[in-house]
Amino acid sequence: MFVLGLQGSPRTKGNTNMLLSTFLDEAERLGAHTHDVNVARLQISPCEECGTCEEEGFCPIDDDMQQIYSLLRQADIIVMATPVFFYGPTAQMKALIDRSQALWARKYVHKLSDPGQKWRRGFLLSLGATKGKNLFEGITLTAKYFFDAVGASFDGSLTYRQIEGPGEIAKHPTAFTDAKEKARTLVTPFLKRKKVLFVCTENACRSQMASAFARYHAGNRIEAESGGSAPAQEINPLMEEVMEEKGIDMAFRKPKSIEEATRFLIPELIISMGCREACPFFPDVQNEEWNLADPAGKPIDFMREIREQVEERVRRLTAREDGLTRLTGKAYQVGTSRAGS
Ligand SMILES: Cc1cc2nc3c(=O)[nH]c(=O)nc-3n(C[C@H](O)[C@H](O)[C@H](O)COP(=O)(O)O)c2cc1C
């Protein structure tokens, strides 16, 4: 599972950084894969309100935000961490938030569902120098709408007043223990999911669709990854198109090799799409063969037919009892803030 931390303070050794690092270190210790983005060190231009994202679904500004879109899409948990600057997030963090308008447009204008959006959680860490009652109101509202745009349900916040000089957060009596406890509460249910790897040759069509459907229908019970023995450069545009017909958004996905796909996921079940020889060998791991025809280079109707077959197989996989039973005891439900813990 993947936890993405967005660190918005320009002070690299400041309070926000210390608080976020404590959260991420605990998540990593529990078994999550984490990635800490130092937002102030990136080149992220402010939104120019050009309207391209509403028309075409992507942002034309070619800067570091392009890599953030894909990280946001991969994340199971997003932690937005920022100090209070004039009752809002820092300008660097705000630029990132405004540029997430491209994801807002894909969701609300283009009516596409990111496969992870039902299960992804968003959490806010913030602090400021003063003790005003309303200190975190602006940031909390901004965080809620940011998380909604990027397909994450808001899971609350930890906020600290009267923290000013660099490192002062370390003197707070509970801040670090709070952050560790919250990391445990959020991460643990995700770690209990069954780890499934979908494999084909190019990781451009079938295994991409299978992992997206698995995440979409059962991302609370399955941690899905996909990879190919000879990955293509890009995912197949016809595959993207037929998934969009179903309302599922495949944007920001890239084919991966099997090595990349298993860097942070040790599979418990490997499902081959129809090219068993491409399958990696993992000792003691359940293997399955779905025997689906390769739609690459075939007409769009054939791609649609394979999409239907893949979804049906994924539905059967998620409905059946065997390989997934150990996860069904306490399903992780969206909408309950401490579900599954
Ligand atoms: C430009 C700027 C604006 C700030 N605005 C506020 C504010 O509105 N309210 C507040 O309580 N603290 C404000 N602060 C103080 C910071 O929130 C505080 O020093 C915080 O601990 C900095 O966190 P960091 O070490 O992670 O950067 C401001 C600081 C700066 C530099």
Side-chain angles (χ1 to χ4, degrees):
M1 67 135 334
F2 178 41
V3 184
L4 176 65
L6 303 172
Q7 200 292 99
S9 169
R11 270 182 187 163
T12 42
K13 295 197 172 133
N15 298 304
T16 309
N17 189 39
M18 290 168 80
L19 192 59
L20 178 62
S21 299
T22 306
F23 185 106
L24 295 179
D25 287 352
E26 182 65 6
E28 190 95 40
R29 193 188 67 77
L30 292 166
H33 158 50
T34 68
H35 185 84
D36 189 355
V37 175
N38 211 334
V39 178
R41 293 282 167 276
L42 299 182
Q43 293 302 320
I44 300 181
S45 306
C47 171
E48 291 171 6
E49 214 180 357
C50 62
T52 308
C53 64
E54 294 190 15
E55 279 164 31
E56 295 174 33
F58 68 88
C59 177
I61 304 174
D62 185 15
D63 61 9
D64 291 339
M65 188 63 197
Q66 298 301 337
Q67 76 200 44
I68 303 295
Y69 293 126
S70 130
L71 290 169
L72 290 166
R73 279 289 168 96
Q74 290 165 46
D76 295 302
I77 297 171
I78 300 167
V79 185
M80 167 185 159
T82 180
V84 179
F85 275 16
F86 285 89
Y87 281 79
T90 61
Q92 293 90 336
M93 180 64 90
K94 189 60 168 48
L96 183 154
I97 291 169
D98 290 352
R99 293 281 299 285
S100 73
Q101 180 75 355
L103 300 181
W104 179 92
R106 297 190 76 83
K107 185 176 176 186
Y108 289 111
V109 181
H110 298 263
K111 311 263 185 250
L112 294 172
S113 295
D114 147 22
Q117 73 182 27
K118 274 192 262 178
W119 325 105
R120 188 177 297 118
R121 326 290 281 181
F123 192 72
L124 169 67
L125 295 175
S126 188
L127 43 88
T130 60
K131 53 180 179 183
K133 185 159 87 39
N134 305 327
L135 188 55
F136 300 105
E137 280 191 5
I139 283 185
T140 305
L141 268 178
T142 306
K144 281 183 183 168
Y145 286 98
F146 166 63
F147 287 134
D148 183 66
V150 302
S153 56
F154 181 58
D155 212 288
S157 60
L158 288 174
T159 53
Y160 298 95
R161 293 176 169 78
Q162 294 182 281
I163 308 292
E164 188 163 15
E168 254 182 45
I169 190 74
K171 295 187 207 132
H172 189 280
T174 63
F176 290 167
T177 35
D178 299 342
K180 284 185 194 172
E181 195 190 319
K182 190 65 208 181
R184 281 195 289 275
T185 311
L186 274 167
V187 163
T188 308
F190 282 102
L191 293 171
K192 292 179 181 157
R193 297 175 300 176
K194 176 105 173 174
K195 295 172 181 57
V196 181
L197 175 69
F198 297 95
V199 179
C200 64
T201 312
E202 293 200 317
N203 188 222
C205 294
R206 293 164 294 175
S207 57
Q208 286 283 352
M209 291 194 275
S211 61
F213 278 130
R215 196 170 192 201
Y216 182 70
H217 291 301
N220 55 339
R221 295 165 56 221
I222 294 180
E223 181 172 352
E225 253 298 359
S226 65
S229 52
Q233 290 290 316
E234 303 291 341
I235 57 170
N236 186 306
L238 274 192
M239 181 279 291
E240 235 180 312
E241 193 178 326
V242 302
M243 290 298 272
E244 285 193 4
E245 289 171 0
K246 286 236 145 188
I248 298 190
D249 193 358
M250 302 298 281
F252 311 107
R253 297 171 84 102
K254 284 246 172 235
K256 283 188 198 138
S257 67
I258 289 160
E259 291 70 37
E260 280 173 276
T262 54
R263 192 167 298 153
F264 303 111
L265 175 127
I266 300 166
E268 294 162 289
L269 171 62
I270 298 177
I271 300 177
S272 161
M273 298 289 103
C275 27
R276 187 186 275 284
E277 66 287 353
C279 248
F281 176 72
F282 284 83
D284 305 324
V285 177
Q286 239 181 305
N287 264 278
E288 222 171 286
E289 169 62 72
W290 281 5
N291 268 322
L292 297 162
D294 186 356
K298 304 266 169 51
I300 192 158
D301 277 343
F302 193 77
M303 187 69 83
R304 288 192 183 106
E305 172 57 31
I306 298 301
R307 175 200 65 197
E308 293 305 302
Q309 289 179 21
V310 171
E311 186 172 24
E312 176 54 27
R313 300 296 297 246
V314 169
R315 281 191 186 280
R316 273 192 263 152
L317 171 77
T318 57
R320 77 189 195 199
E321 287 299 303
D322 70 312
L324 301 169
T325 37
R326 78 184 179 76
L327 299 169
T328 53
K330 256 192 173 183
Y332 183 39
Q333 298 279 336
V334 159
T336 48
S337 61
R338 293 184 178 234
S341 58

